[in-house]
Amino acid sequence: MENPLTPEVLADPVALTRALVDIESVSKNEKEIADCVEEVLRDVPHLTVARHSNTIMARTELGRAQRVVLAGHLDTVPLNNNFPSSVQGDLIYGCGTSDMKSGVAYALHLAVSVPEPRYDVTYFFYEAEEIESRYNGLTLVAQAHPEWLTADFAVLLEPTHGVVEAGCQGTMRAVVSAAGRRAHSARSWNGVNAIHGIGDAIHRLAGYQARMVTIDGCVYREGMNAVRIGGGVAGNVVPDLCELEVNYRFAPDRTAQEAELHLRETFDGYQVRLIDSAPGALPGLTAAPAREFLAAVGADPIGKLGWTDVARFAALGIPALNFGPGDPNLAHAPDEHVEIGKIRDGAATLHRWLASH
Ligand SMILES: [Zn+2]
């Protein structure tokens, strides 16, 4: 097959977005797009290229004082009658337009067109972000080639609609349970109703005052919510167990341990069993490359509320943020699209930041 990522396409982030969207790459089917990206990068004299599975790493080795990462995932969620791409006015429609081949287009365009960036740059084009974390290309690289991830600052080109979203909130799920004693409902006074018993826990959630935390100018709004409930044995039995699943989204000034402690305090008197948790990431906008990035964007950052791979870099001690042209509200939607104007604006911003000395 001929590589659709021709020099003319690579020179234009808009054409490049379309070309990348038109290579189908649903998670676990990234080989073809990774082959195309690798072939292009191997032809670039100022880059050193390596590959792990379907993740491609390319970097400059100019001996600069600082190194930054630009990263984008190559995979998409499953197609939904939105392949290949189409253009209507200023909008490109198609699977992956927003999340996040328009962001991947930035990284690939910059990789080939900025031979002398002001920092050394490591570009990542990685597989399997949209599925379980153990398949994630960055997870695999961290295990097999941790030295590839060495950097002072990272930009993940996930959809943010052209604003800077810094850090991210942590997330935790736990099961809060009430125990009771079974009895025939005709003689219910012989039992203890566990569903009634969970009532106070629901009451605490309904009245819960979530924190708003400001860090480096970014506002993080927490939330604690019941997301599932289960209990009951039969239509004539007083239930002996009721389980309430709670999701706590916490600001990155709290560690996962502190968040768990807070959750347990909130449900004092109940049994609390942790299901999973992932720590948040501090925005870390005080590092020099981050400040210079914000200056190039020229607008205030906002706090990222969802969990993203930014947290992976934060866990390695690398400040990281999200910046991409797509609208995050359209990610994974059947009418997913991206604005051509936003692609051009963001590409100009990144050029200003990386190519100026
Ligand atoms: Zn994404």
Side-chain angles (χ1 to χ4, degrees):
M1 194 201 78
E2 220 157 90
N3 194 330
L5 309 180
T6 61
E8 303 73 58
V9 167
L10 290 161
D12 173 10
V14 174
L16 185 50
T17 297
R18 274 203 84 174
L20 289 165
V21 170
D22 291 341
I23 307 171
E24 189 262 290
S25 59
V26 176
S27 307
K28 295 200 168 176
N29 191 34
E30 299 96 333
K31 184 181 180 302
E32 183 185 346
I33 195 168
D35 287 349
C36 291
V37 168
E38 182 184 12
E39 188 184 43
V40 161
L41 294 171
R42 294 241 183 236
D43 275 347
V44 179
H46 62 267
L47 294 174
T48 305
V49 181
R51 176 169 181 155
H52 182 85
S53 181
N54 288 324
T55 294
I56 314 296
M57 184 278 288
R59 66 185 170 200
T60 62
E61 285 168 351
L62 300 164
R64 301 275 195 258
Q66 282 170 310
R67 176 172 291 281
V68 301
V69 161
L70 291 181
H73 60 82
L74 294 171
D75 64 321
T76 70
V77 295
L79 307 181
N80 192 347
N81 292 316
N82 52 4
F83 180 88
S85 66
S86 60
V87 172
Q88 288 175 35
D90 181 48
L91 306 176
I92 306 175
Y93 281 84
C95 187
T97 46
S98 165
D99 185 11
M100 57 171 285
K101 288 180 173 174
S102 47
V104 170
Y106 283 170
L108 198 51
H109 168 70
L110 292 165
V112 301
S113 65
V114 183
E116 298 214 336
R118 68 195 290 188
Y119 321 99
D120 269 312
V121 186
T122 305
Y123 299 94
F124 279 105
F125 304 89
Y126 64 102
E127 62 183 328
E129 190 273 346
E130 298 286 5
I131 54 175
E132 287 159 75
S133 162
R134 66 193 161 108
Y135 299 111
N136 186 304
L138 292 179
T139 304
L140 301 180
V141 163
Q143 287 159 359
H145 309 281
E147 70 284 0
W148 291 4
L149 291 165
T150 305
D152 300 286
F153 175 57
V155 178
L156 283 146
L157 301 158
E158 290 276 8
T160 64
H161 216 200
V163 302
V164 174
E165 294 188 346
C168 76
Q169 298 214 113
T171 178
M172 172 169 293
R173 288 185 308 144
V175 171
V176 176
S177 57
R181 193 169 60 246
R182 288 193 199 187
H184 196 299
S185 58
R187 294 181 181 77
S188 59
W189 52 88
N190 290 325
V192 176
N193 191 314
I195 293 180
H196 298 182
I198 210 78
D200 185 43
I202 294 173
H203 205 70
R204 290 183 205 177
L205 281 174
Y208 182 77
Q209 298 287 330
R211 294 189 315 151
M212 294 246 271
V213 182
T214 304
I215 308 166
D216 289 358
C218 301
V219 177
Y220 298 90
R221 185 173 186 170
E222 294 195 334
M224 194 185 291
N225 283 279
V227 292
R228 203 189 308 264
I229 190 165
V233 181
N236 57 356
V237 178
V238 173
D240 58 350
L241 180 67
C242 184
E243 292 190 320
L244 180 69
E245 187 178 322
V246 174
N247 181 217
Y248 177 34
R249 300 283 173 152
F250 54 95
D253 65 329
R254 272 187 176 156
T255 64
Q257 290 77 6
E258 287 165 345
E260 182 184 347
L261 200 67
H262 173 66
L263 195 121
R264 289 187 184 280
E265 278 168 6
T266 304
F267 296 104
D268 189 33
Y270 285 94
Q271 271 231 30
V272 176
R273 174 168 51 88
L274 200 68
I275 305 175
D276 59 26
S277 81
L282 287 165
L285 299 178
T286 48
R291 281 189 279 111
E292 286 150 9
F293 181 79
L294 291 174
V297 175
D300 288 336
I302 59 172
K304 181 80 178 171
L305 301 182
W307 197 91
T308 78
D309 276 330
V310 158
R312 274 171 210 286
F313 287 95
L316 296 166
I318 302 166
L321 51 76
N322 288 293
F323 177 76
D327 179 345
N329 296 309
L330 295 170
H332 307 185
D335 63 340
E336 182 175 353
H337 58 264
V338 64
E339 295 156 46
I340 288 171
K342 284 259 186 252
I343 298 178
R344 296 211 187 284
D345 289 351
T349 297
L350 288 165
H351 254 283
R352 228 171 17 246
W353 173 57
L354 266 192
S356 68
H357 287 271

